Amino acid sequence: MFPRDTSLDIPLSDDFNVPTNQQVGATSRSDKESNCVYLCGNSLGLLSKSSAALVQEELQVWGTRAVLGHFDHPDNRPWTKCTDEVNALLAEVVGANEIEVACMGTLTNNLHLMMDSFYKPTATRYKILCEAKAFPSDQYAFASQALAHGLDPATTIIEVSPRPGEFTLREEDILATIDKEGDSIALVLFSGIQYYTGQWFPIESITRKAQEKGCICGWDLAHAAGNVPLSLHDWNVDFAVWCTYKYINSGPGGIAGLFVHEKWHEIEQPKFAGWWGHELSTRFKMPPKFSPIKGAQGFQQSNPSVLAVVSLLGSLRVFKKAGMIGPLRERSLKLTGALDQMLRQSKYFVAPEVFDKQSTKPGFTIITPSEPSQRGAQLSLLFTGSDIMVKVFDYLVKNGVIGDEREPDVIRLAPAPLYNTLKDCEHAVAILEEALASVSL
Ligand SMILES: Cc1ncc(COP(=O)(O)O)c(C=O)c1O
Ligand SMILES: Nc1ccccc1C(=O)C[C@H](N)C(=O)O
């Protein structure tokens, strides 16, 4: 029997709205009013009551104060300064100084903005190094950046792939590639945590090696921010971008984050300026010449959606109340560790070394590293056969277990430490086993 840690039975925060079985269309469940088992905070985090209340407040201010809300706000949160509290909290989440962080735009927008500033190919140093099978938006961004510089993506973008028979990257292979190709690499840009495999890359050592070879090192932290401890400033990361709608629960399409290390603030001025990057003290005097805010916030372009900002703020306040990343990671290690252990005890589990994708016998392996320091909350389950994953996924949803399917073959399950419990993990494993039993029939 798996030893139970009863502290994991109570959610860390009761501030979240968990959809019911009925609401998610779990038609096989008779307990329609019970909460579903939501293990999909790696794609879209849940709505916190705090975010919902703050959005309502801003709607109220908009309805009652209209344009005056920009400067004179009943809750002392004038819209011109609505990102102040968020920036401070985001800086804590990613391990940065406040001046290094901006809450703005969207992940892919910010990635382009940062590449516009930091990707400066020359005749001899022009390549972009990333992991193979990066999230498609990142691949499109890299390729289009290469094209914009008149370069051929096929020769510009180099990817590190897993060794044959392996699912994740070895640190030594990444470092060796940088060593070998570094003189021709302009930019090393990995995801902090790989969206498909859930592998947490060694950010500090990759950054160090890239910089030793004279490359710029940036990070896409979509799956890392709010999930694992980060120390972007101390790790000397050049720049980073992330979305906030996953583990940080800002809501679909929520406002994103951007980090520019302090060492660049005097050197790298915003290239595509907008008025919101201009110093607040003179912004509304409408001067013709752009005078940027020092640091990451100088990269802001437009006035942000206040509704999006406070939706993020609500969740960040929940993070703060829970003690920020330290306690969250501690709980995350236990929850994901327990889920991992239970899955490995399943009769359908096949060890990754002997996993046979072609097998028609229903089964799965876990492609996420088993070493906790190499992963965050997410576990990626790879299924045998060609249509087993889809059938299993369908069964899970009908039974109120919400993970996500990622083509071609993976179901991702991610217990979020703020709102998931050990019971969620136990329930998910039980339903998964039922699902696999049903496809065996
Ligand atoms: C690693 C990664 N990059 C980019 C994106 C795209 O983000 P967005 O649509 O917010 O630009 C996502 C998620 O959608 C992601 O996980
Ligand atoms: N923004 C979305 C909208 C619709 C569906 C998924 C997403 C995701 O965020 C996907 C995520 N990046 C992932 O790792 O799969």
Side-chain angles (χ1 to χ4, degrees):
M1 264 300 280
F2 181 70
R4 283 196 64 87
D5 178 345
T6 48
S7 70
L8 299 177
D9 279 337
I10 314 150
L12 201 55
S13 167
D14 58 5
D15 204 60
F16 289 90
N17 290 286
V18 185
T20 62
N21 282 324
Q22 182 159 28
Q23 286 166 336
V24 297
T27 46
S28 302
R29 301 293 304 183
S30 53
D31 52 344
K32 298 196 181 322
E33 299 312 316
S34 303
N35 288 349
C36 76
V37 170
Y38 192 80
L39 296 177
C40 209
N42 56 331
S43 184
L44 181 71
L46 292 178
L47 167 65
S48 69
K49 291 170 192 152
S50 172
S51 294
L54 282 169
V55 170
Q56 279 306 320
E57 273 180 32
E58 293 303 347
L59 288 173
Q60 182 69 17
V61 178
W62 177 24
T64 54
R65 307 278 299 157
V67 71
L68 305 176
H70 283 112
F71 303 99
D72 183 6
H73 189 287
D75 300 306
N76 199 22
R77 201 173 43 244
W79 297 330
T80 50
K81 295 183 180 175
C82 69
T83 49
D84 285 5
E85 188 182 341
V86 169
N87 287 332
L89 293 167
L90 272 186
E92 272 192 70
V93 169
V94 298
N97 296 325
E98 215 176 307
I99 195 171
E100 295 173 312
V101 165
C103 151
M104 58 185 271
T106 63
L107 169 51
T108 308
N109 288 166
N110 292 349
L111 179 58
H112 274 297
L113 263 188
M114 289 291 93
M115 289 185 75
D116 284 328
S117 280
F118 286 98
Y119 175 52
K120 293 177 180 157
T122 65
T124 52
R125 189 188 279 281
Y126 58 93
K127 292 180 187 163
I128 300 169
L129 179 72
C130 57
E131 84 266 20
K133 300 189 180 160
F135 191 80
S137 197
D138 296 23
Q139 294 187 45
Y140 308 154
F142 302 157
S144 62
Q145 285 279 338
L147 287 168
H149 286 281
L151 297 166
D152 177 2
T155 48
T156 302
I157 300 164
I158 45 176
E159 299 177 341
V160 188
S161 298
R163 293 186 186 186
E166 297 184 5
F167 298 106
T168 52
L169 298 184
R170 294 196 190 195
E171 177 175 1
E172 68 210 79
D173 290 354
I174 302 172
L175 299 183
T177 309
I178 300 175
D179 246 338
K180 185 161 158 261
E181 308 261 3
D183 294 340
S184 63
I185 297 174
L187 177 65
V188 173
L189 209 159
F190 278 70
S191 55
I193 291 185
Q194 222 284 338
Y195 85 100
Y196 191 76
T197 65
Q199 179 177 17
W200 180 11
F201 294 120
I203 299 178
E204 187 176 14
S205 71
I206 293 175
T207 303
R208 191 184 314 115
K209 173 62 78 181
Q211 292 168 349
E212 268 168 28
K213 295 294 288 184
C215 321
I216 293 285
C217 191
W219 290 89
D220 174 344
L221 301 175
H223 290 262
N227 179 13
V228 290
L230 298 167
S231 301
L232 299 187
H233 178 88
D234 290 347
W235 295 341
N236 208 22
V237 161
D238 290 299
F239 71 86
V241 290
W242 61 95
C243 57
T244 60
Y245 46 74
K246 299 178 185 295
Y247 295 95
I248 316 185
N249 317 304
S250 68
I255 194 159
L258 176 151
F259 166 89
V260 182
H261 197 283
E262 229 163 34
K263 67 184 176 181
W264 286 110
H265 292 182
E266 299 293 343
I267 307 165
E268 238 5 277
Q269 297 293 312
K271 258 174 74 186
F272 295 96
W275 74 316
W276 225 255
H278 186 99
E279 286 162 346
L280 180 58
S281 55
T282 55
R283 186 181 303 154
F284 291 91
K285 296 193 193 311
M286 309 293 172
K289 188 172 175 300
F290 179 60
S291 171
I293 303 169
K294 191 166 175 216
Q297 287 154 43
F299 287 83
Q300 294 172 141
Q301 293 172 320
S302 302
N303 77 120
S305 155
V306 172
L307 301 181
V309 172
V310 297
S311 183
L312 169 59
L313 175 61
S315 173
L316 286 169
R317 284 183 178 170
V318 179
F319 265 69
K320 187 72 180 169
K321 204 168 148 200
M324 295 307 267
I325 296 294
L328 283 182
R329 173 66 175 163
E330 205 181 304
R331 185 175 161 97
S332 178
L333 283 168
K334 290 183 193 162
L335 277 178
T336 299
L339 179 61
D340 187 62
Q341 198 168 336
M342 288 185 280
L343 288 168
R344 282 169 200 275
Q345 282 164 4
S346 164
K347 68 172 175 174
Y348 296 102
F349 176 76
V350 184
E353 314 79 71
V354 292
F355 181 76
D356 175 12
K357 176 73 194 124
Q358 308 314 322
S359 167
T360 50
K361 196 165 152 243
F364 71 92
T365 193
I366 301 175
I367 60 170
T368 308
S370 55
E371 168 55 50
S373 65
Q374 291 174 27
R375 69 185 184 202
Q378 170 188 326
L379 297 178
S380 302
L381 280 52
L382 174 68
F383 290 81
T384 51
S386 56
D387 60 351
I388 290 177
M389 182 277 274
V390 175
K391 288 181 179 160
V392 168
F393 184 71
D394 190 48
Y395 191 98
L396 291 176
V397 175
K398 288 204 170 90
N399 284 279
V401 176
I402 308 298
D404 65 16
E405 51 180 335
R406 280 291 170 262
E407 295 291 345
D409 298 306
V410 153
I411 292 181
R412 306 182 304 180
L413 300 175
L418 271 174
Y419 47 77
N420 283 120
T421 62
L422 183 55
K423 284 193 180 121
D424 290 337
C425 299
E426 289 165 341
H427 189 69
V429 175
I431 301 291
L432 179 77
E433 295 211 301
E434 273 181 38
L436 284 158
S438 79
V439 293
S440 315
L441 295 175

